PDB file of all heavy atoms in Angstrom:
ATOM      1  N   CYS U  22     -49.228-118.516-260.034  1.00  0.00           N
ATOM      2  CA  CYS U  22     -50.038-119.627-260.535  1.00  0.00           C
ATOM      3  C   CYS U  22     -49.675-119.879-261.996  1.00  0.00           C
ATOM      4  O   CYS U  22     -49.601-118.943-262.777  1.00  0.00           O
ATOM      5  CB  CYS U  22     -51.516-119.300-260.408  1.00  0.00           C
ATOM      6  SG  CYS U  22     -52.619-120.616-260.994  1.00  0.00           S
ATOM      7  N   ASN U  23     -49.426-121.116-262.326  1.00  0.00           N
ATOM      8  CA  ASN U  23     -49.186-121.507-263.713  1.00  0.00           C
ATOM      9  C   ASN U  23     -50.415-122.175-264.297  1.00  0.00           C
ATOM     10  O   ASN U  23     -51.024-123.041-263.665  1.00  0.00           O
ATOM     11  CB  ASN U  23     -47.991-122.452-263.805  1.00  0.00           C
ATOM     12  CG  ASN U  23     -46.687-121.740-263.594  1.00  0.00           C
ATOM     13  OD1 ASN U  23     -46.503-120.630-264.069  1.00  0.00           O
ATOM     14  ND2 ASN U  23     -45.772-122.356-262.873  1.00  0.00           N
ATOM     15  N   HIS U  24     -50.774-121.772-265.481  1.00  0.00           N
ATOM     16  CA  HIS U  24     -51.914-122.376-266.201  1.00  0.00           C
ATOM     17  C   HIS U  24     -51.555-122.410-267.671  1.00  0.00           C
ATOM     18  O   HIS U  24     -52.187-121.740-268.501  1.00  0.00           O
ATOM     19  CB  HIS U  24     -53.215-121.628-265.928  1.00  0.00           C
ATOM     20  CG  HIS U  24     -53.073-120.165-265.674  1.00  0.00           C
ATOM     21  ND1 HIS U  24     -52.896-119.225-266.667  1.00  0.00           N
ATOM     22  CD2 HIS U  24     -53.076-119.476-264.505  1.00  0.00           C
ATOM     23  CE1 HIS U  24     -52.803-118.019-266.131  1.00  0.00           C
ATOM     24  NE2 HIS U  24     -52.905-118.140-264.827  1.00  0.00           N
ATOM     25  N   SER U  25     -50.551-123.198-267.992  1.00  0.00           N
ATOM     26  CA  SER U  25     -49.951-123.190-269.332  1.00  0.00           C
ATOM     27  C   SER U  25     -50.886-123.726-270.411  1.00  0.00           C
ATOM     28  O   SER U  25     -50.669-123.475-271.593  1.00  0.00           O
ATOM     29  CB  SER U  25     -48.647-123.989-269.333  1.00  0.00           C
ATOM     30  OG  SER U  25     -48.895-125.320-268.925  1.00  0.00           O
ATOM     31  N   THR U  26     -51.924-124.479-270.026  1.00  0.00           N
ATOM     32  CA  THR U  26     -52.844-125.039-271.024  1.00  0.00           C
ATOM     33  C   THR U  26     -54.137-124.246-271.124  1.00  0.00           C
ATOM     34  O   THR U  26     -55.123-124.728-271.685  1.00  0.00           O
ATOM     35  CB  THR U  26     -53.168-126.505-270.695  1.00  0.00           C
ATOM     36  OG1 THR U  26     -53.779-126.579-269.405  1.00  0.00           O
ATOM     37  CG2 THR U  26     -51.904-127.360-270.711  1.00  0.00           C
ATOM     38  N   ILE U  27     -54.133-123.043-270.623  1.00  0.00           N
ATOM     39  CA  ILE U  27     -55.357-122.237-270.620  1.00  0.00           C
ATOM     40  C   ILE U  27     -55.827-121.965-272.046  1.00  0.00           C
ATOM     41  O   ILE U  27     -55.011-121.744-272.963  1.00  0.00           O
ATOM     42  CB  ILE U  27     -55.125-120.930-269.841  1.00  0.00           C
ATOM     43  CG1 ILE U  27     -56.437-120.213-269.561  1.00  0.00           C
ATOM     44  CG2 ILE U  27     -54.129-120.038-270.584  1.00  0.00           C
ATOM     45  CD1 ILE U  27     -56.303-119.048-268.592  1.00  0.00           C
ATOM     46  N   SER U  28     -57.133-121.993-272.232  1.00  0.00           N
ATOM     47  CA  SER U  28     -57.717-121.710-273.526  1.00  0.00           C
ATOM     48  C   SER U  28     -58.140-120.246-273.612  1.00  0.00           C
ATOM     49  O   SER U  28     -58.238-119.561-272.592  1.00  0.00           O
ATOM     50  CB  SER U  28     -58.942-122.595-273.759  1.00  0.00           C
ATOM     51  OG  SER U  28     -58.588-123.953-273.709  1.00  0.00           O
ATOM     52  N   GLY U  29     -58.389-119.817-274.834  1.00  0.00           N
ATOM     53  CA  GLY U  29     -58.692-118.410-275.049  1.00  0.00           C
ATOM     54  C   GLY U  29     -59.951-117.923-274.355  1.00  0.00           C
ATOM     55  O   GLY U  29     -60.079-116.740-274.051  1.00  0.00           O
ATOM     56  N   GLU U  31     -61.085-119.032-271.379  1.00  0.00           N
ATOM     57  CA  GLU U  31     -61.057-119.366-269.950  1.00  0.00           C
ATOM     58  C   GLU U  31     -60.588-118.184-269.122  1.00  0.00           C
ATOM     59  O   GLU U  31     -59.586-117.542-269.428  1.00  0.00           O
ATOM     60  CB  GLU U  31     -60.148-120.567-269.691  1.00  0.00           C
ATOM     61  CG  GLU U  31     -60.750-121.880-270.182  1.00  0.00           C
ATOM     62  CD  GLU U  31     -59.880-123.069-269.866  1.00  0.00           C
ATOM     63  OE1 GLU U  31     -58.665-122.994-270.101  1.00  0.00           O
ATOM     64  OE2 GLU U  31     -60.421-124.078-269.385  1.00  0.00           O
ATOM     65  N   VAL U  33     -59.323-116.600-265.394  1.00  0.00           N
ATOM     66  CA  VAL U  33     -58.543-116.959-264.209  1.00  0.00           C
ATOM     67  C   VAL U  33     -59.256-116.389-262.983  1.00  0.00           C
ATOM     68  O   VAL U  33     -59.551-115.190-262.931  1.00  0.00           O
ATOM     69  CB  VAL U  33     -57.106-116.382-264.273  1.00  0.00           C
ATOM     70  CG1 VAL U  33     -56.349-116.763-262.999  1.00  0.00           C
ATOM     71  CG2 VAL U  33     -56.385-116.883-265.517  1.00  0.00           C
ATOM     72  N   LEU U  51     -59.572-112.068-267.496  1.00  0.00           N
ATOM     73  CA  LEU U  51     -59.425-112.824-268.734  1.00  0.00           C
ATOM     74  C   LEU U  51     -58.020-112.640-269.316  1.00  0.00           C
ATOM     75  O   LEU U  51     -57.289-113.594-269.511  1.00  0.00           O
ATOM     76  CB  LEU U  51     -60.473-112.390-269.743  1.00  0.00           C
ATOM     77  CG  LEU U  51     -60.497-113.143-271.066  1.00  0.00           C
ATOM     78  CD1 LEU U  51     -60.798-114.621-270.855  1.00  0.00           C
ATOM     79  CD2 LEU U  51     -61.519-112.525-272.021  1.00  0.00           C
ATOM     80  N   LYS U  52     -57.649-111.411-269.603  1.00  0.00           N
ATOM     81  CA  LYS U  52     -56.310-111.165-270.137  1.00  0.00           C
ATOM     82  C   LYS U  52     -55.709-109.850-269.658  1.00  0.00           C
ATOM     83  O   LYS U  52     -54.503-109.681-269.654  1.00  0.00           O
ATOM     84  CB  LYS U  52     -56.313-111.200-271.662  1.00  0.00           C
ATOM     85  CG  LYS U  52     -57.319-110.282-272.312  1.00  0.00           C
ATOM     86  CD  LYS U  52     -57.300-110.482-273.822  1.00  0.00           C
ATOM     87  CE  LYS U  52     -58.349-109.602-274.489  1.00  0.00           C
ATOM     88  NZ  LYS U  52     -58.356-109.791-275.966  1.00  0.00           N
ATOM     89  N   ASN U  53     -56.561-108.938-269.235  1.00  0.00           N
ATOM     90  CA  ASN U  53     -56.046-107.680-268.711  1.00  0.00           C
ATOM     91  C   ASN U  53     -55.807-107.793-267.215  1.00  0.00           C
ATOM     92  O   ASN U  53     -56.437-108.598-266.532  1.00  0.00           O
ATOM     93  CB  ASN U  53     -57.055-106.561-268.969  1.00  0.00           C
ATOM     94  CG  ASN U  53     -57.255-106.335-270.456  1.00  0.00           C
ATOM     95  OD1 ASN U  53     -56.314-106.411-271.233  1.00  0.00           O
ATOM     96  ND2 ASN U  53     -58.491-106.077-270.844  1.00  0.00           N
ATOM     97  N   ASN U  54     -54.901-106.973-266.719  1.00  0.00           N
ATOM     98  CA  ASN U  54     -54.687-106.930-265.276  1.00  0.00           C
ATOM     99  C   ASN U  54     -55.920-106.337-264.615  1.00  0.00           C
ATOM    100  O   ASN U  54     -56.592-105.467-265.177  1.00  0.00           O
ATOM    101  CB  ASN U  54     -53.443-106.098-264.960  1.00  0.00           C
ATOM    102  CG  ASN U  54     -52.186-106.719-265.538  1.00  0.00           C
ATOM    103  OD1 ASN U  54     -52.143-107.915-265.814  1.00  0.00           O
ATOM    104  ND2 ASN U  54     -51.178-105.905-265.737  1.00  0.00           N
ATOM    105  N   ILE U  63     -52.338-110.004-261.911  1.00  0.00           N
ATOM    106  CA  ILE U  63     -51.470-109.742-263.053  1.00  0.00           C
ATOM    107  C   ILE U  63     -51.414-111.010-263.900  1.00  0.00           C
ATOM    108  O   ILE U  63     -51.011-112.069-263.418  1.00  0.00           O
ATOM    109  CB  ILE U  63     -50.039-109.363-262.601  1.00  0.00           C
ATOM    110  CG1 ILE U  63     -50.087-108.232-261.578  1.00  0.00           C
ATOM    111  CG2 ILE U  63     -49.190-108.990-263.823  1.00  0.00           C
ATOM    112  CD1 ILE U  63     -50.702-106.948-262.099  1.00  0.00           C
ATOM    113  N   ILE U  64     -51.840-110.909-265.148  1.00  0.00           N
ATOM    114  CA  ILE U  64     -51.841-112.044-266.072  1.00  0.00           C
ATOM    115  C   ILE U  64     -50.793-111.780-267.142  1.00  0.00           C
ATOM    116  O   ILE U  64     -50.778-110.701-267.743  1.00  0.00           O
ATOM    117  CB  ILE U  64     -53.231-112.236-266.706  1.00  0.00           C
ATOM    118  CG1 ILE U  64     -54.287-112.437-265.614  1.00  0.00           C
ATOM    119  CG2 ILE U  64     -53.225-113.423-267.667  1.00  0.00           C
ATOM    120  CD1 ILE U  64     -55.713-112.480-266.135  1.00  0.00           C
ATOM    121  N   THR U  65     -49.908-112.746-267.374  1.00  0.00           N
ATOM    122  CA  THR U  65     -48.871-112.555-268.386  1.00  0.00           C
ATOM    123  C   THR U  65     -49.492-112.425-269.767  1.00  0.00           C
ATOM    124  O   THR U  65     -50.630-112.866-270.009  1.00  0.00           O
ATOM    125  CB  THR U  65     -47.872-113.717-268.371  1.00  0.00           C
ATOM    126  OG1 THR U  65     -48.586-114.954-268.600  1.00  0.00           O
ATOM    127  CG2 THR U  65     -47.146-113.790-267.043  1.00  0.00           C
ATOM    128  N   GLU U  66     -48.733-111.866-270.667  1.00  0.00           N
ATOM    129  CA  GLU U  66     -49.258-111.597-272.009  1.00  0.00           C
ATOM    130  C   GLU U  66     -49.679-112.885-272.718  1.00  0.00           C
ATOM    131  O   GLU U  66     -50.680-112.906-273.441  1.00  0.00           O
ATOM    132  CB  GLU U  66     -48.209-110.861-272.838  1.00  0.00           C
ATOM    133  CG  GLU U  66     -48.729-110.325-274.166  1.00  0.00           C
ATOM    134  CD  GLU U  66     -47.747-109.391-274.851  1.00  0.00           C
ATOM    135  OE1 GLU U  66     -46.797-108.945-274.186  1.00  0.00           O
ATOM    136  OE2 GLU U  66     -47.945-109.116-276.041  1.00  0.00           O
ATOM    137  N   ASP U  67     -48.940-113.966-272.499  1.00  0.00           N
ATOM    138  CA  ASP U  67     -49.308-115.239-273.134  1.00  0.00           C
ATOM    139  C   ASP U  67     -50.369-115.991-272.334  1.00  0.00           C
ATOM    140  O   ASP U  67     -50.802-117.072-272.735  1.00  0.00           O
ATOM    141  CB  ASP U  67     -48.085-116.130-273.345  1.00  0.00           C
ATOM    142  CG  ASP U  67     -47.405-116.541-272.039  1.00  0.00           C
ATOM    143  OD1 ASP U  67     -47.969-116.255-270.954  1.00  0.00           O
ATOM    144  OD2 ASP U  67     -46.335-117.136-272.089  1.00  0.00           O
ATOM    145  N   ARG U  68     -50.774-115.440-271.204  1.00  0.00           N
ATOM    146  CA  ARG U  68     -51.826-115.967-270.329  1.00  0.00           C
ATOM    147  C   ARG U  68     -51.484-117.308-269.717  1.00  0.00           C
ATOM    148  O   ARG U  68     -52.346-117.977-269.155  1.00  0.00           O
ATOM    149  CB  ARG U  68     -53.158-116.068-271.071  1.00  0.00           C
ATOM    150  CG  ARG U  68     -53.648-114.779-271.630  1.00  0.00           C
ATOM    151  CD  ARG U  68     -55.145-114.624-271.760  1.00  0.00           C
ATOM    152  NE  ARG U  68     -55.832-115.832-272.107  1.00  0.00           N
ATOM    153  CZ  ARG U  68     -56.810-116.361-271.368  1.00  0.00           C
ATOM    154  NH1 ARG U  68     -57.187-115.792-270.250  1.00  0.00           N
ATOM    155  NH2 ARG U  68     -57.397-117.467-271.761  1.00  0.00           N
ATOM    156  N   LYS U  69     -50.249-117.712-269.758  1.00  0.00           N
ATOM    157  CA  LYS U  69     -49.882-119.009-269.213  1.00  0.00           C
ATOM    158  C   LYS U  69     -49.580-118.967-267.720  1.00  0.00           C
ATOM    159  O   LYS U  69     -49.371-120.014-267.099  1.00  0.00           O
ATOM    160  CB  LYS U  69     -48.692-119.583-269.979  1.00  0.00           C
ATOM    161  CG  LYS U  69     -49.045-119.929-271.429  1.00  0.00           C
ATOM    162  CD  LYS U  69     -47.901-120.598-272.146  1.00  0.00           C
ATOM    163  CE  LYS U  69     -48.331-120.998-273.564  1.00  0.00           C
ATOM    164  NZ  LYS U  69     -47.259-121.680-274.304  1.00  0.00           N
ATOM    165  N   SER U  70     -49.543-117.798-267.159  1.00  0.00           N
ATOM    166  CA  SER U  70     -49.346-117.696-265.724  1.00  0.00           C
ATOM    167  C   SER U  70     -49.944-116.394-265.218  1.00  0.00           C
ATOM    168  O   SER U  70     -50.212-115.470-266.002  1.00  0.00           O
ATOM    169  CB  SER U  70     -47.867-117.783-265.348  1.00  0.00           C
ATOM    170  OG  SER U  70     -47.170-116.669-265.848  1.00  0.00           O
ATOM    171  N   SER U  71     -50.161-116.344-263.913  1.00  0.00           N
ATOM    172  CA  SER U  71     -50.698-115.132-263.302  1.00  0.00           C
ATOM    173  C   SER U  71     -50.157-115.006-261.892  1.00  0.00           C
ATOM    174  O   SER U  71     -49.612-115.969-261.318  1.00  0.00           O
ATOM    175  CB  SER U  71     -52.234-115.162-263.293  1.00  0.00           C
ATOM    176  OG  SER U  71     -52.722-116.264-262.554  1.00  0.00           O
TER     177      SER U  71
END
Side-chain angles (χ1 to χ4, degrees):
Chain U
C22 180
N23 287 320
H24 31 79
S25 59
T26 60
I27 192 170
S28 300
E31 288 183 314
V33 179
L51 183 62
K52 54 184 178 180
N53 297 322
N54 297 338
I63 308 299
I64 302 174
T65 58
E66 190 170 346
D67 63 8
R68 302 209 325 123
K69 293 185 177 181
S70 66
S71 60

